[in-house]
Amino acid sequence: MDYANILVSADLGDTSSDRVRLAAGLARRFDATLIGAAAHKVPAPILVRDVYDAIDQEERNKAEVLQILEEARALFERSAGEGIRTEWLAALAEPTTHLVEQARAADLVVVGRRGPEDEETGQLGVPPGPVLMEVGRPVLVVPPHLVQLKGTRIVVAWKDRPEARRAVTAALPFLRDADQVFVVTVGDDGGHEGAEAVTTHLARHGAHATTHLMRAARQESDDILEFAQHQDADLVVMGAYGHSRLREWIFGGVTRDVLERSPICCLMSH
């Protein structure tokens, strides 16, 4: 597969411009169209005196929301720069719902990381977890203040589950171009996860891939991210929410940990 349409979430947070710049760089690399998306619901009138007051409030609220969306459009166009095809899709709607709907015509969806220590993105921001659960497309989660993704050294965090298989397929445009791909499994049964077969599969696609079977030292997410940093990788490819999202929210899990604190980009599929 190739990326013909890349959809990026735009908001007015401090990291939005960098995220759009990163997505624009990918659009140039893959000769794709970059689609910016933002949405904001119109607040309902409150404490109205009569129907005319309600109408006036609604019109003022709508005008304010449209101004916010116009500011997001300007930020998107300014950050995307020249030399690529762009589209802008805004709506008076809930932001996550709008992004998921527009992903019907996207090959890759780019969103920002939303960890406990990360900056607020305002009312236009979308949390990556719900997007991953609903979008049905590969999602690239970008940490704050990254403006470029080379993808020269990539870690594939492999578990033989449908989510990981989808992620590997979705990442093929990156994996084929990488200088080195590390197919990594963590755990005592790593040799039974089919990692060698995946490495061979990627090699047949032209990737320079090697297999790495790791014993668990700490939490699986810690082991994966530490390995990626030791290998100077700038992209992790992995499946998302192999357990239920409720279980991850209550007990913690690899997906939640990576979504909240990965220092490098992660391409995920559910």
Side-chain angles (χ1 to χ4, degrees):
M1 66 172 288
D2 291 311
Y3 302 136
N5 298 293
I6 297 175
L7 178 67
V8 60
S9 171
D11 55 61
L12 297 179
D14 292 339
T15 63
S16 182
S17 179
D18 292 340
R19 185 189 323 126
V20 173
R21 288 173 62 191
L22 185 145
L26 296 180
R28 291 185 184 89
R29 174 177 171 181
F30 295 113
D31 191 27
T33 297
L34 182 65
I35 306 168
H40 191 312
K41 294 185 72 172
V42 177
I46 58 174
L47 301 176
V48 297
R49 296 186 300 273
D50 51 38
V51 65
Y52 300 105
D53 184 32
I55 293 172
D56 288 342
Q57 279 197 41
E58 185 171 9
E59 289 178 349
R60 289 195 302 271
N61 291 345
K62 182 177 179 180
E64 291 176 1
V65 168
L66 290 174
Q67 178 59 37
I68 292 171
L69 292 174
E70 180 61 21
E71 292 174 12
R73 182 195 63 78
L75 179 147
F76 166 75
E77 293 181 350
R78 183 171 62 251
S79 303
E82 303 294 333
I84 58 172
R85 301 178 299 276
T86 61
E87 294 180 13
W88 175 247
L89 299 172
L92 303 176
E94 197 279 323
T96 300
T97 300
H98 176 63
L99 189 71
V100 169
E101 288 177 350
Q102 300 312 315
R104 66 172 72 93
D107 300 306
L108 180 67
V109 180
V110 182
V111 300
R113 193 187 73 184
R114 290 278 294 274
E117 306 301 321
D118 293 336
E119 297 94 337
E120 287 295 324
T121 55
Q123 292 179 297
L124 301 183
V126 297
V131 173
L132 269 166
M133 290 295 293
E134 300 172 23
V135 75
R137 291 289 188 269
V139 176
L140 182 68
V141 182
V142 179
H145 309 304
L146 285 185
V147 298
Q148 186 180 39
L149 172 58
K150 293 182 179 180
T152 52
R153 297 170 69 81
I154 301 174
V155 170
V156 175
W158 177 253
K159 278 189 174 294
D160 196 9
R161 293 175 178 166
E163 308 84 37
R165 297 183 184 195
R166 296 187 190 106
V168 168
T169 298
L172 279 175
F174 286 104
L175 298 171
R176 286 194 298 255
D177 290 345
D179 293 340
Q180 184 67 54
V181 176
F182 307 91
V183 180
V184 179
T185 62
V186 179
D188 294 336
D189 61 345
H192 303 290
E193 290 279 356
E196 288 284 2
V198 174
T199 299
T200 301
H201 167 68
L202 293 178
R204 289 170 179 164
H205 277 278
H208 303 286
T210 54
T211 306
H212 301 264
L213 308 179
M214 298 173 54
R215 290 189 177 274
R218 296 181 294 168
Q219 293 188 80
E220 187 173 341
S221 54
D222 292 328
D223 291 335
I224 291 168
L225 294 177
E226 184 175 286
F227 179 89
Q229 290 181 291
H230 283 169
Q231 298 299 332
D232 199 26
D234 64 352
L235 179 63
V236 172
V237 174
M238 60 182 288
Y241 293 118
H243 300 296
S244 74
R245 184 166 168 240
L246 178 61
R247 175 175 168 176
E248 290 238 2
W249 181 72
I250 296 174
F251 299 109
V254 176
T255 304
R256 195 189 73 176
D257 289 345
V258 170
L259 284 178
E260 290 186 349
R261 60 186 181 83
S262 174
I264 63 177
C265 290
C266 294
L267 193 154
M268 298 179 164
S269 285
H270 175 57

